[in-house]
Structures are given as C-alpha cells and as structure tokens.
C-alpha cells in the first residue's frame, strides 16, 4: 500500500512537471533575436553599400583615365567634340520652312560648293521689304540682294543649325536694322551634305560670299562670325584680302585666339589639369587639321574690325577676345582701318549668345 502511494506520488510529480518542461522548450524555440544579431544586419547593409560605391568609383576612375588614351588613338573623336555638328538643336524643325521659326521674309536655298557637297542657306531680306517678299520665289529673293541695302553673311558657331533660337533672333534684329542676312549650315551641319572640316567650312563660306557678291552689286557686304564661326570668318577674310577682294567689315562675336587656347581655357574641359593634357587632347586637334588661328589671321586682314564680347561668357572666356583685340590693334595690316572692341558688362547677362539683346547694338553697328 505504501509502495503504491509512493508510485502514485512520483507519477503525479512527473505529470505536474511535464507541462512546465514543454513550456520552457517552447519559449526556447520562440526566443527573440538578440541585440548582437540586430546590429549585424545594418552593418552588413552598410558594408554592401560601401562595396558597391567603391566599385562605382573605381569604374568611373577607369573611364576617366581611359578617355585620354582613346582620344589620342582616335583624333576623330576630338574633332567631333570641336564641331559638335551631330548636336541638332532645336530638334524636329523643318529647315526648308524658315517661316515656321517666325521668319516670314526668308527664303531657303541649296547651293553646291563642291561635288557631293550641298549646303542649306537662308536669306532674310530687310524688314522694309517684308510685305513685298510674301509669296515670292527664290529668283525674287536673289534679285533683292541688288537693292540698296547692305548684306551680312552670318557664320554660326558649333552645334545646332541655322535655325537655332538665338541665331533666329539675331537675324530678326539685323533685318529690322535694314540688312539682308544670309546664313547657312556648313557641310555636315543641319540638312547640309558632306563631312565637316576646317578647310571645308572655309570653302563653303567662300562659295556663299562669292554667290552674294555676284548678286549684290556695289552694296556693302559684311562678315559676321560667332564663336567657332569667328575662326571660319577670319579664315575667309584673310583669303579674301589675299586675293584683294576684302569685305567691307568683319564682325567677330565672342571670338577666341586659336582653337588650342580655347580648348585649354574652356570651362567644360575637365582634363585641363590632367598630366600631358596638350599631348592627349590638343595635339589630336592639330593632327585633325583644326587650327582656327584667329590670332594669326588678323595679321593679314585689311578691313575694319569690330569685336563684341560679354564679360560673363562661360564658353569663350572674355580674356581671349581681349587678347585677340590687342593683337589686331597692333597689327600693321590694320593701320589704315578702324579696330574696335566693345565689351558687355557681366550685369547685362548676355553670356555667350545673347548680345543681340543689347539696345546699343544698332548704334554700335552704325
């Protein structure tokens, strides 16, 4: 009897402790993560983020170092960056329809300077002839060049087309002042056919100048170059002076001295402090036959010269325009001609391509 009671008591104690052991094992299996485990996850994320960032930095650094060697091996890349003729802004405009850009007194031509080369030309007549120009054909516009109005041949800079917004606004200003404005896209720009080169651009300008002179009679013809177009302009005028058919005046807006100095001074040139910058970047430009030596050309030019430059120009630094003026002013070729430099203060905000907004421009041109 006593043994039986003891066995019952032992069984009772086992039964009583069994749920407790089960609960303990349950709590053990459901135990929450410790503080150490919680810290490991953010640390792991941070390490993964830093690894990816470091990988990106190494990749960008590799590209940065590889580009100079790529440019050196392929000079054509640097030529493309100088011309930027593949950048067509504004997009989706029909260059055959200048009236879409608000130029209702403008005619579109196509001229052929050389075999396999065709260039698109716009001719805007003076505002005084606006009503007469409506609905007229190309022949009427060509004959209008013989009217008693001066002509400006405008040579635009790199990138874009003859239909660029700031260029169109300048045509309107010059037209309102009584000028014919003839402009064109060099071979390889806009809808013009051909491959761009300094020699080709200069020859295109010469062809258009001769085309104008054949139709304008004794009317004054002025050459206006802007930015990279100043290099084309001085190339052209030097050649005209050498053959003793100079224009009546040369106007340079935002000019540089030569393409090497411009490339070295360009604010977007992130490699200017790169070791061997000249060898990597400037020598390939020369190898491609690109010089645009304004500083050399002005020594052989014999006609009046006007230089316009904004002090806040972020593309062609102001000091290059001033330096070019100093070279021209002391050149013997200009001793019988007027050389003038007109700066535009930073507060005006004309920068690289908005000098046409100046209310002083009519007086300056007169």
């Amino acid at each position: 009897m006593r043994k039986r009671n003891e066995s019952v008591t032992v069984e009772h104690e086992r039964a009583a402790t069994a749920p407790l052991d089960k609960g303990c094992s349950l709590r053990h299996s459901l135990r929450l993560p410790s503080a150490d485990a919680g810290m490991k996850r953010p640390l792991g994320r941070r390490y993964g983020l830093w690894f990816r960032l470091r990988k990106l930095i190494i990749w960008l650094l590799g590209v940065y170092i590889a580009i100079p060697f790529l440019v050196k091996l392929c000079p054509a890349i640097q030529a493309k960056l100088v011309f930027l003729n593949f950048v067509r802004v504004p997009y989706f405009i029909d260059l055959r329809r200048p009236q879409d850009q608000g130029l209702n007194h403008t005619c579109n031509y196509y001229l052929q300077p050389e075999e396999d080369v065709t260039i698109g030309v716009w001719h805007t007549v003076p505002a005084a002839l606006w009503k007469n120009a409506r609905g007229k054909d190309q022949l009427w516009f060509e004959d209008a060049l013989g009217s008693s109005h001066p002509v400006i041949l405008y040579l635009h800079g790199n990138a874009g087309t003859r239909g660029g917004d700031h260029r169109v606004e300048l045509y309107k200003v010059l037209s309102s002042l009584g000028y014919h404005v003839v402009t064109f896209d060099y071979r390889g720009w806009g809808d013009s056919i051909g491959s761009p080169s300094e020699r080709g651009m200069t020859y295109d300008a010469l062809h258009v100048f001769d085309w104008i002179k054949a139709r304008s009679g004794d009317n004054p013809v002025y050459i206006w170059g802007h930015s990279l177009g100043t290099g084309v302009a001085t190339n052209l005028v030097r050649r005209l002076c050498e053959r003793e058919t100079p224009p009546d005046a040369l106007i340079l807006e935002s000019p540089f001295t030569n393409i090497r100095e411009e490339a070295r001074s360009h604010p977007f040139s992130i490699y200017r402090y790169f070791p061997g910058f000249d060898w990597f970047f400037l020598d390939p430009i020369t190898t491609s036959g690109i010089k645009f030596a304004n500083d050399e050309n002005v020594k052989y030019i014999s006609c009046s010269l006007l230089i316009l430059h904004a002090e806040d120009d972020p593309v062609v630094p102001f000091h290059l325009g001033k330096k070019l003026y100093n070279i021209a002013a002391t050149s013997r070729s200009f001793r019988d001609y007027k050389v003038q430099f007109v700066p535009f203060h930073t507060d005006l905000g004309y920068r690289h391509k908005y000098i046409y907004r100046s209310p002083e421009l009519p007086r300056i041109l007169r």
Side-chain angles (χ1 to χ4, degrees):
M1 185 72 171
R2 191 172 180 180
K3 288 181 180 179
R4 184 182 176 190
N5 289 340
E6 286 177 357
S7 64
V8 171
T9 304
V10 170
E11 289 176 5
H12 178 73
E13 288 175 355
R14 285 177 183 171
T17 57
L20 182 61
D21 293 341
K22 188 176 180 181
C24 288
S25 63
L26 183 62
R27 280 197 300 271
H28 179 74
S29 65
L30 296 177
R31 186 169 57 190
L32 294 175
S34 65
D36 291 341
M39 289 177 64
K40 285 178 182 176
R41 288 177 185 170
L43 284 173
R45 286 197 204 100
R46 264 180 268 157
Y47 178 77
L49 182 62
W50 165 243
F51 178 77
R52 287 193 293 270
L53 183 61
R54 188 175 61 179
K55 194 174 179 181
L56 177 63
I57 291 172
I58 293 172
W59 184 83
L60 291 175
L61 185 62
V63 171
Y64 179 79
I65 295 173
I67 286 176
F69 291 94
L70 187 62
V71 170
K72 185 65 180 178
L73 292 172
C74 304
I77 296 175
Q78 190 71 324
K80 284 285 188 182
L81 294 176
V82 171
F83 297 138
L84 291 178
N85 59 301
F86 56 89
V87 178
R88 181 168 173 168
V89 180
Y91 294 97
F92 311 120
I93 70 169
D94 188 351
L95 293 170
R96 295 169 299 179
R97 295 177 50 83
Q99 59 267 32
D100 292 348
Q101 309 307 308
L103 296 171
N104 295 319
H105 50 315
T106 298
C107 185
N108 180 66
Y109 310 143
Y110 289 99
L111 303 180
Q112 191 169 14
E114 294 179 311
E115 189 178 355
D116 300 326
V117 175
T118 304
I119 56 175
V121 181
W122 280 0
H123 171 201
T124 302
V125 298
L129 302 178
W130 180 81
K131 290 184 179 179
N132 295 333
R134 286 186 294 183
K136 297 297 193 299
D137 59 10
Q138 179 175 333
L139 185 60
W140 182 91
F141 275 84
E142 290 187 31
D143 291 340
L145 285 169
S147 62
S148 57
H149 294 275
V151 184
I152 289 180
L153 171 58
Y154 179 77
L155 305 172
H156 68 68
N158 65 355
T161 68
R162 63 189 183 275
D165 293 340
H166 66 283
R167 294 163 187 164
V168 169
E169 293 306 315
L170 178 63
Y171 311 154
K172 292 177 181 178
V173 169
L174 296 177
S175 173
S176 70
L177 297 177
Y179 296 97
H180 288 276
V181 182
V182 178
T183 187
F184 67 96
D185 280 320
Y186 316 105
R187 59 187 72 187
W189 271 260
D191 58 353
S192 296
I193 298 171
S195 300
S197 67
E198 181 175 354
R199 186 208 66 83
M201 295 164 73
T202 303
Y203 191 82
D204 293 345
L206 179 63
H207 181 81
V208 176
F209 177 85
D210 288 340
W211 179 86
I212 292 170
K213 289 297 289 183
R215 292 158 177 77
S216 61
D218 295 329
N219 293 332
V221 178
Y222 309 118
I223 309 295
W224 184 314
H226 173 245
S227 192
L228 188 67
T230 63
V232 182
T234 62
N235 282 348
L236 169 63
V237 176
R238 175 177 177 175
R239 188 163 177 175
L240 293 175
C241 291
E242 287 173 347
R243 76 177 194 184
E244 299 182 352
T245 57
D248 292 273
L250 171 62
I251 303 163
L252 301 178
E253 179 188 357
S254 306
F256 48 86
T257 47
N258 57 71
I259 199 64
R260 288 179 72 99
E261 286 197 356
E262 160 58 8
R264 188 181 292 114
S265 304
H266 200 290
F268 303 138
S269 180
I270 60 174
Y271 287 95
R272 73 180 77 177
Y273 304 114
F274 193 89
F277 175 77
D278 284 21
W279 187 78
F280 278 111
F281 292 95
L282 302 187
D283 290 351
I285 296 177
T286 307
T287 302
S288 300
I290 304 172
K291 297 179 179 178
F292 292 115
N294 290 336
D295 51 354
E296 208 43 49
N297 288 337
V298 294
K299 298 175 184 177
Y300 300 91
I301 289 175
S302 51
C303 68
S304 296
L305 173 64
L306 171 64
I307 296 178
L308 311 172
H309 213 135
E311 293 178 352
D312 59 338
D313 190 329
V315 178
V316 180
F318 178 79
H319 71 86
L320 291 184
K322 187 68 174 177
K323 182 178 179 180
L324 181 64
Y325 165 73
N326 291 333
I327 295 170
T330 57
S331 173
R332 293 178 59 189
S333 66
F334 284 105
R335 62 181 178 271
D336 297 326
Y337 300 94
K338 185 176 182 180
V339 179
Q340 187 178 4
F341 182 83
V342 180
F344 295 88
H345 196 271
T346 301
D347 293 344
L348 297 171
Y350 293 156
R351 297 171 67 78
H352 183 60
K353 55 188 181 183
Y354 301 112
I355 288 177
Y356 72 84
R357 295 176 178 174
S358 173
E360 296 294 311
L361 194 57
R363 179 191 61 78
I364 293 168
L365 293 179
R366 280 196 297 269

